[in-house]
């Protein structure tokens, strides 16, 4: 039996912090795409969340720069 390394109080505290500090976005991707995204993220040493966050930030920055050029 594997022991949980975090107490219930620690888990609750982490959940409260995450609820205050982060917004959640759930996305749906076509079957098989999740594995492709995960493999790509891992190949770059990132988590799926980190990769998606970086991709969004890069797109926002690129779009902002393109809008200012017009």
């Amino acid at each position: 039996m594997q022991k949980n390394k975090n107490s219930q109080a620690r888990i609750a505290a982490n959940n409260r912090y995450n609820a205050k500090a982060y917004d959640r976005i759930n996305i749906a991707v076509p079957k098989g795409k999740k594995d492709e995204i995960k493999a790509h993220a891992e190949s770059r040493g990132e988590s799926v969340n980190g990769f998606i966050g970086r991709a969004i930030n890069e797109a926002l920055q690129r779009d902002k720069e393109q809008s200012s050029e017009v």
Side-chain angles (χ1 to χ4, degrees), residues 4 6 19 33 40 60 64-65:
N4 189 348
N6 293 317
K33 196 70 166 179
H40 180 79
L60 290 170
K64 181 179 175 183
E65 290 169 2

Side-chain angles (χ1 to χ4, degrees), residues 25-45:
I25 300 173
N26 295 318
I27 64 169
V29 296
K31 288 283 185 186
K33 196 70 166 179
K34 178 181 174 184
D35 292 335
E36 183 181 347
I37 293 167
K38 184 177 179 185
H40 180 79
E42 288 175 353
S43 75
R44 297 183 54 89

Side-chain angles (χ1 to χ4, degrees), residues 50-63:
F51 165 64
I52 292 172
R54 180 175 59 79
I56 290 169
N57 288 333
E58 288 176 3
L60 290 170
Q61 183 63 36
R62 183 181 61 243
D63 293 350

